[in-house]
Amino acid sequence: MEKFFKLSERGTNARTEAVAGITTFLAMAYILAVNPALLSQTGMDAGGVFTATALASAIATLVMAFAANLPVALAPGMGLNAFFTYTVVMGMGYSWQTALTAVFLEGILFIVLSLLKVREALIKAIPLNIKKAVAVGIGLFITLIGLVDGGIVSSETGTIIGFVQLKGTALVAIIGLVSTIVLICLKVKGAIIIGMILTTLAGIPFGVTHVPENFSPFSLPAAPLFWKFDFSNIFTLKFFVVFFTFLFVDMFDTLGTLMGVAEQSNLKDKNGDIKNVNQALLADAVGTVAGAMLGTSTVTSFVESTAGIAEGGRTGLTSLTTALMFLVALFLSPLFLLVPSAASAPALIIVGSMMMSAASGIDFKDLSEGIPAFITIMTMPFAYSIATGISWGIMSYVVCKVASRKFKDISIITWILCMVFVAKTVLDAV
């Protein structure tokens, strides 16, 4: 381990790496409850999604450990699973099998682009402020979903959307949110998952958490939803938009996380670039393909990896430990599937708040940059669609730059994307 992971070279040891790996798992273990809760709304079996989530996370994180030697864990991404459920399946009317097909094809393309070292070039072509705005918009979108799933807000209040009376599910969700906020402010390790546990327990006397008779926390993993694809719609424009959105969001989620991790852990080369970046990008591509084959949404790098780095994690041994924890969790599915929406709602809201930090880097003073960024952020929660936010952000970017006569700021790829989104908008209106 010393020689392979270069522990001494990076100023760490096996014990520190193991503790860091467990810390990272605790910080992101909420995905094992939240992902099945979200994807099961499409008709997918929650137990099968749980198995797919744990296995895909383990596979992708193992690739990160051995190929990239970075302390970064991966799992089905928040926001991407919401797009899968609420936009592609519930909004656009596609089956979950078609949505999985888009994820699968996106992962295949990611592998090819990673091997050819093309992804970095594509990433540089997208306007920087739009990239940051996407993260912020997704954060607000996730927050709104959490508020709705937790029963905290509703359109039945007499307004377009408003806060309900705090009772039942809403009261339990608020208790969970307050508890989680307190834990995070106290810098408790694994605050989100601990908050979910406390909220689940609090839901029992309120009748929100339903514990089956003869409940046991242990069980054999449910069969994953293996190879459930539908290729019948792949040559349509709507499918391309779905495919591209998965591709776009995953691409920048991963790159942003890797940049943040590299900055915090000083894992950069002499040129200031992320060490082993191509191998790291390959990890999320392999994880996405494996996840789609097993039955879950797009796999991406998790910003919660910084929790393990804060504990001293510096190598792939941290990731290896996290991957092993995901495999152990396979046999504890009844515990995670017991979690009600009132308990997962605080996690969604808190993760949404964490994604707000990207807003501080947006240049709002330059209106040709700030207005498209704002439109991207605004559209996602209000349109209840990540895809719509991205498309309107790109279109408004081109309009603002043309109006400002800043033609050099518009790359060829951005022009192409704008034309594609304009065509889609026109077709939707016809």
Side-chain angles (χ1 to χ4, degrees):
M1 287 193 297
E2 165 64 38
K3 183 177 181 180
F4 184 86
F5 291 113
K6 302 177 182 179
L7 300 180
S8 297
E9 179 182 321
R10 297 189 182 178
T12 184
N13 55 59
R15 181 182 180 281
T16 299
E17 295 292 297
V19 171
I22 294 171
T23 301
T24 294
F25 174 78
L26 290 175
M28 62 186 290
Y30 64 85
I31 195 64
L32 292 170
V34 175
N35 203 48
L38 280 176
L39 297 191
S40 63
Q41 296 180 45
T42 68
M44 301 174 73
D45 175 68
V49 174
F50 178 92
T51 300
T53 301
L55 285 176
S57 302
I59 291 169
T61 306
L62 285 172
V63 175
M64 183 68 77
F66 291 110
N69 193 22
L70 292 174
V72 180
L74 301 93
M78 295 298 301
L80 291 160
N81 51 12
F83 174 73
F84 184 106
T85 299
Y86 296 103
T87 300
V88 179
V89 178
M90 294 184 175
M92 302 177 72
Y94 281 127
S95 66
W96 58 263
Q97 291 90 340
T98 299
L100 281 179
T101 305
V103 173
F104 176 70
L105 294 177
E106 171 227 337
I108 294 293
L109 180 58
F110 261 8
I111 290 177
V112 174
L113 294 177
S114 298
L115 292 175
L116 295 177
K117 300 182 179 181
V118 173
R119 288 175 71 180
E120 300 93 315
L122 290 174
I123 287 167
K124 292 177 181 178
I126 303 296
L128 177 62
N129 286 297
I130 295 293
K131 297 176 190 175
K132 296 175 181 178
V134 167
V136 179
I138 290 174
L140 290 176
F141 183 46
I142 291 173
T143 300
L144 181 58
I145 292 170
L147 291 170
V148 173
D149 284 356
I152 300 171
V153 300
S154 171
S155 60
E156 299 176 0
T157 58
T159 57
I160 295 175
I161 190 168
F163 275 67
V164 302
Q165 291 183 349
L166 297 183
K167 58 182 180 180
T169 299
L171 178 59
V172 173
I174 290 296
I175 291 172
L177 181 59
V178 173
S179 301
T180 306
I181 290 172
V182 170
L183 290 169
I184 288 175
C185 291
L186 292 174
K187 298 182 179 180
V188 175
K189 300 292 189 299
I192 292 178
I193 190 66
I194 293 173
M196 292 179 69
I197 293 171
L198 294 176
T199 311
T200 300
L201 294 174
I204 295 175
F206 287 94
V208 173
T209 302
H210 304 286
V211 183
E213 293 184 9
N214 303 318
F215 173 76
S216 172
F218 306 102
S219 74
L220 293 175
L225 304 170
F226 186 73
W227 201 262
K228 300 294 185 180
F229 297 131
D230 179 2
F231 294 94
S232 62
N233 299 299
I234 63 174
F235 296 111
T236 64
L237 180 60
K238 285 176 66 177
F239 184 88
F240 171 78
V241 173
V242 172
F243 167 82
F244 174 77
T245 302
F246 278 129
L247 184 81
F248 181 91
V249 177
D250 186 23
M251 184 179 296
F252 297 118
D253 269 4
T254 295
L255 191 75
T257 299
L258 290 175
M259 288 190 295
V261 167
E263 189 67 34
Q264 183 177 350
S265 58
N266 198 30
L267 293 175
K268 296 181 289 185
D269 59 25
K270 60 183 180 180
N271 297 320
D273 297 323
I274 305 166
K275 288 184 178 179
N276 303 329
V277 64
N278 286 313
Q279 296 92 322
L281 292 170
L282 183 63
D284 82 304
V286 171
T288 293
V289 171
M293 292 173 63
L294 293 167
T296 188
S297 52
T298 305
V299 172
T300 187
S301 301
F302 260 56
V303 72
E304 286 82 0
S305 301
T306 55
I309 292 171
E311 289 293 324
R314 293 294 181 272
T315 75
L317 184 54
T318 293
S319 300
L320 173 59
T321 304
T322 304
L324 294 177
M325 293 296 293
F326 272 113
L327 294 177
V328 171
L330 274 171
F331 300 93
L332 298 172
S333 62
L335 275 179
F336 290 97
L337 297 178
L338 189 69
V339 178
S341 59
S344 60
L348 291 169
I349 295 168
I350 293 299
V351 172
S353 74
M354 292 177 177
M355 299 179 76
M356 292 298 101
S357 60
S360 63
I362 298 174
D363 183 9
F364 286 107
K365 293 182 179 179
D366 182 346
L367 295 181
S368 68
E369 296 282 342
I371 291 175
F374 172 73
I375 289 175
T376 303
I377 295 168
M378 170 198 70
T379 305
M380 288 187 186
F382 290 133
Y384 220 63
S385 169
I386 296 169
T388 304
I390 293 173
S391 62
W392 280 90
I394 293 293
M395 289 187 292
S396 62
Y397 180 85
V398 171
V399 170
C400 289
K401 289 299 180 180
V402 170
S404 303
R405 299 181 181 180
K406 297 180 178 180
F407 300 101
K408 293 182 179 180
D409 290 348
I410 310 173
S411 68
I412 294 176
I413 295 177
T414 305
W415 274 113
I416 294 172
L417 293 177
C418 178
M419 289 186 287
V420 169
F421 289 135
V422 168
K424 175 186 177 297
T425 302
V426 172
L427 289 174
D428 287 344
V430 173

